[in-house]
Structures are given as structure tokens and as C-alpha cells.
């Protein structure tokens, strides 16, 4: 076993050497789509980027398949969010890190920029992509790593990183402009799980998830009851489902509020931990955030163009 591992490490490093000499493109494997999208924007033609998890997949509970293990073994670089987002993959990623570069991107952010986990001291909320400016801080971190693995195109990585940061800055401006139109008393976001903590901090929203930071534990009836009370007392008009979490808990809120004479509707589906299908606009990071803020603003009494920042949204909130 050990000998086999050493051989794999050797193969991995010779693959890197090939790339550095201008040979085959880098093979990059990312856990979630948000990271795969970031990597392919920075790497351009220099890499083949794959995501293990596609649309609708929940990273908190995802377990690798046999095909995933093969894909990861062949990768030159493995990218994950870290901070226990990919809880079931931690052992595998730790083992891979003895053979090849495994970058846990969110763990490279300064700890003072992270939100503390409410239940586990010393742990942090992993959903860092929900704050566009914070996500943008990963661009130079990944750029440096890619240029280190593929120094022949260091200038290309620098240029693509610069262009992508400008795109993210434009996205951030749209997000702030649109969310500012939501009346202050309606800036309350109720969703299926606590994926929106960074969103709330960045854009001034109060956020409530039915399940906690992870979907691994089921929501209790007491939690659903607490949120129904909140929705009724605050006269909240819309709650949101998430594409990677079952809808039943959100439906329970709608029914619970109705039983108390308050009508709350489902304001739309948000992309929280998974993006939409590859090849769609909502299957990119920019598209997923555009979709989310457009849906949220329109459902909570704000103003946003029905097809979003640049007219590319397929679904209207
Ligand atoms: Zn999550």
C-alpha cells in the first residue's frame, strides 16, 4: 500500500513536470461547482477542471464514489472549500494531501474574516461564497497556486485573475444596488439551512435557516415552531427553498404560518451550496449570485430586473 502510494506520488509529480514544460493541461478536480468555476476562470485553456458535485448535490452529506477516487488520484491539483463543508470527504482529502497539492481554499482566508460556528468553538462557517467580496479574496490565493504549478503561464494567470476580479467587483455592485431596494424592515431571509450567514453580514440581512450550518442533522420540531412564530409575528411575506436541500421543512413553515392565519409564500429557489447545471448561466458563480439576489430582492419587496444583472437569467423570481 505504501509503495503504491509512493508510486502515485511519483506519477503525480512527473505529470506536474510535464505541464511546467508546456505539455498536457493541468488536471484540476474541485469538490463543488463554485470552486470549479473559479479555477476554470483563472486557468483558462491551461487546465481541465472537473467538479465532483453537480447541481442539486449537498456537499455536507456527499460521499465519494469509486469514480471520484479515480478522478482524484489522477488530478494534479485538488481544490475544496474546507472548514468541514465537505465533511464526509475529510479523510480522503487528508490522504490525498500526502500525494499531491490539496488546497482547502476557505481555510486560506484570514480567520478574522470568517464567521464563527455557533455550536463548535474554534470552527467556522464554510459558506464563504455568499459574500462576493470575500469570495473575490480567493482569486489571488488560487492564482498564486496555479502559477506555482504552471509557471510557464504566470502572466496569463495574473491577467485572467485581474479580469475575473473586475467581473466580481461589478457583480458586487449589482448585489448592493439591488438589495438596497428591499425595505429595511423586510430584510429577513428565511431558508432551508444556514448557508446565508456571510450574505447576511455583508449585505445587512437577518438570516434564519431551518437546519443549522450543516444539513447533517435534521431540524427539530421546536426549530420549525420557532421560525413559524417569527414569520407570523414579523409578518414575513416570503421564505426560500434551496436547490440542494429537500423542500419539506420550508413547506412546513408555510403550512404552520397558514394554520395561524398568516400567508407566507415560497419566494423562489435559491442556489445555496450547489449551482445550477454546468453549461447554464446559473451554473456559474456570477449567474448563481445574480439569480439569488434578483429572486430575493423581488420576493421581499425590492426592485430588480426580472432577468437579472445582464438579462441572462433564465428563471424569474
Ligand atoms: Zn451548507
Amino acid at each position: 500500500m505504501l509503495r503504491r502510494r509512493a508510486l502515485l506520488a511519483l506519477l503525480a509529480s512527473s505529470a506536474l513536470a510535464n505541464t511546467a514544460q508546456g505539455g498536457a493541461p493541468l488536471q484540476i478536480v474541485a469538490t463543488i461547482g463554485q470552486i470549479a468555476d473559479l479555477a476554470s476562470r483563472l486557468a483558462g485553456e491551461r487546465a481541465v477542471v472537473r467538479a465532483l458535485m453537480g447541481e442539486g448535490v449537498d456537499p455536507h452529506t456527499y460521499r465519494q464514489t469509486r469514480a471520484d477516487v479515480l478522478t482524484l488520484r489522477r488530478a494534479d491539483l485538488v481544490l475544496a472549500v474546507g472548514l468541514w463543508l465537505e465533511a464526509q470527504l475529510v479523510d480522503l482529502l487528508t490522504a490525498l494531501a500526502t500525494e499531491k497539492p490539496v488546497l482547502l481554499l476557505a481555510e486560506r482566508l484570514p480567520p478574522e474574516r470568517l464567521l464563527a460556528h455557533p455550536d463548535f468553538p474554534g470552527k467556522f462557517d464554510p459558506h464563504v461564497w455568499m459574500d462576493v467580496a470575500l469570495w473575490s479574496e480567493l482569486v489571488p490565493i488560487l492564482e498564486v497556486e496555479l502559477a506555482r504549478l504552471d509557471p510557464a503561464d504566470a502572466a496569463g494567470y495574473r491577467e485572467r485573475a485581474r479580469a475575473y476580479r473586475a467581473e466580481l467587483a461589478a457583480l458586487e455592485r449589482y448585489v448592493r444596488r439591488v438589495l438596497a431596494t428591499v425595505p429595511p424592515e423586510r430584510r429577513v431571509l428565511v431558508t432551508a439551512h444556514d448557508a446565508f450567514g456571510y450574505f447576511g453580514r455583508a449585505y445587512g440581512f437577518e438570516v434564519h435557516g431551518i437546519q443549522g450550518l450543516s444539513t447533517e442533522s435534521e431540524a427539530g420540531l421546536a426549530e420549525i415552531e420557532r421560525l413559524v412564530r417569527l414569520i407570523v409575528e414579523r409578518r414575513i411575506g416570503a421564505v426560500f427553498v434551496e436547490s440542494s436541500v429537500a423542500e419539506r421543512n420550508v413547506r412546513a413553515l408555510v403550512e404552520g404560518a397558514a394554520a395561524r392565519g398568516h400567508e407566507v409564500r415560497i419566494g423562489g429557489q435559491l442556489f445555496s451550496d450547489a449551482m445550477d447545471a454546468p453549461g447554464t448561466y446559473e451554473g456559474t458563480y456570477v449567474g448563481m449570485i445574480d439569480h439569488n439576489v434578483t429572486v430575493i430582492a423581488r420576493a421581499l419587496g425590492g426592485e430588480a430586473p426580472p432577468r437579472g444583472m445582464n438579462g441572462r437569467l433564465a428563471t424569474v423570481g
Side-chain angles (χ1 to χ4, degrees):
M1 187 63 205
L2 267 180
R3 199 174 299 165
R4 186 173 147 69
R5 188 165 280 178
L7 181 66
L8 284 168
L10 198 67
L11 290 174
S13 60
S14 69
L16 282 185
N18 280 342
T19 308
Q21 288 155 17
L26 281 175
Q27 299 291 320
I28 300 176
V29 178
T31 53
I32 64 172
Q34 292 90 316
I35 293 183
D37 186 47
L38 175 62
S40 54
R41 291 302 305 268
L42 299 194
E45 303 287 307
R46 305 291 293 187
V48 174
V49 183
R50 294 181 184 80
L52 295 182
M53 303 176 216
E55 66 273 26
V57 175
D58 177 358
H60 298 287
T61 56
Y62 184 82
R63 287 175 195 278
Q64 71 271 13
T65 64
R66 221 175 290 174
D68 289 344
V69 176
L70 289 176
T71 305
L72 287 162
R73 294 265 181 240
R74 291 195 198 106
D76 300 315
L77 172 66
V78 177
L79 300 173
V81 171
L83 299 176
W84 294 86
L85 175 78
E86 303 96 339
Q88 310 300 323
L89 303 183
V90 167
D91 289 348
L92 176 61
L93 294 174
T94 305
L96 283 165
T98 64
E99 297 167 8
K100 62 183 74 194
V102 175
L103 187 54
L104 307 180
L105 279 166
E107 299 187 11
R108 295 288 187 94
L109 290 167
E112 64 273 15
R113 301 279 284 123
L114 300 176
L115 286 172
H117 194 299
D119 304 324
F120 298 99
K123 279 200 186 181
F124 298 97
D125 180 343
H127 303 89
V128 294
W129 56 90
M130 289 299 184
D131 171 348
V132 177
L134 184 61
W135 188 245
S136 177
E137 289 181 29
L138 294 178
V139 173
I141 294 170
L142 185 55
E143 178 210 324
V144 166
E145 184 70 13
L146 292 171
R148 190 180 69 76
L149 293 175
D150 182 19
D153 192 39
Y157 291 107
R158 203 175 312 126
E159 174 50 29
R160 287 186 293 272
R162 190 204 56 75
Y164 193 50
R165 279 201 104 170
E167 209 175 301
L168 293 180
L171 175 65
E172 168 84 1
R173 284 194 295 277
Y174 174 77
V175 170
R176 291 195 174 278
R177 179 160 58 78
V178 155
L179 294 177
T181 65
V182 177
E185 71 280 5
R186 298 188 65 182
R187 293 178 191 169
V188 184
L189 187 63
V190 180
T191 62
H193 90 296
D194 270 326
F196 290 85
Y198 290 98
F199 177 95
R201 180 181 72 176
Y203 309 118
F205 274 63
E206 183 183 326
V207 295
H208 298 273
I210 306 172
Q211 283 172 289
L213 279 183
S214 170
T215 56
E216 286 174 290
S217 51
E218 264 304 316
L221 279 179
E223 188 54 20
I224 289 182
E225 189 52 32
R226 183 185 77 79
L227 284 173
V228 166
R229 239 181 357 254
L230 176 102
I231 289 165
V232 173
E233 280 165 14
R234 308 270 296 271
R235 316 300 299 167
I236 290 171
V239 293
F240 299 88
V241 295
E242 300 174 25
S243 71
S244 52
V245 184
E247 292 187 14
R248 60 179 182 279
N249 286 334
V250 180
R251 299 212 171 275
L253 294 185
V254 172
E255 285 157 20
R260 295 183 185 203
H262 174 68
E263 192 181 325
V264 59
R265 66 190 184 88
I266 292 183
Q269 176 182 267
L270 304 179
F271 296 109
S272 54
D273 292 4
M275 311 196 300
D276 207 347
T280 65
Y281 175 56
E282 292 83 352
T284 67
Y285 174 73
V286 170
M288 114 174 211
I289 298 292
D290 183 6
H291 168 93
N292 285 352
V293 300
T294 302
V295 166
I296 290 167
R298 292 172 65 84
L300 296 180
E303 286 165 29
R307 302 205 58 196
M309 179 170 70
N310 46 29
R312 292 184 68 193
L313 286 183
T315 45
V316 177

